[in-house]
Amino acid sequence: KNIRINKKAIFDASDSILATSTIPAEYIWDFGVGPKIEGKEVVQSFSATGKQIVTLTVRQGQAQASAQK
């Protein structure tokens, strides 16, 4: 998806779960710049053009999975 420079984009991990469990999931976003951001839905903007790699890590109890796009 093309993202405009300095325009906010919403990143939503609502469909990302590891297992049906009573243990709440943690969502950690790594945008490659600045600190990692926690939350199921986060807002981020980018200050440069080009390919942006975003990593989402989902943790639920002892289970963990990551995906990059």
Side-chain angles (χ1 to χ4, degrees):
K1 184 174 180 179
N2 291 329
I3 297 175
R4 292 181 162 171
I5 295 174
N6 297 322
K7 295 289 183 180
K8 294 179 182 176
I10 298 171
F11 292 83
D12 187 353
S14 295
D15 293 333
S16 301
I17 59 170
L18 295 176
T20 304
S21 173
T22 57
I23 300 169
E26 295 177 72
Y27 301 87
I28 300 124
W29 297 88
D30 184 350
F31 293 97
V33 293
K36 294 178 182 176
I37 302 172
E38 292 189 34
K40 189 181 287 187
E41 184 177 286
V42 300
V43 177
Q44 176 70 14
S45 62
F46 297 93
S47 60
T49 59
K51 186 175 182 179
Q52 306 293 336
I53 297 175
V54 177
T55 303
L56 170 64
T57 300
V58 180
R59 291 185 191 144
Q60 194 171 16
Q62 299 291 356
Q64 176 175 313
S66 294
Q68 271 189 354
K69 288 207 173 194

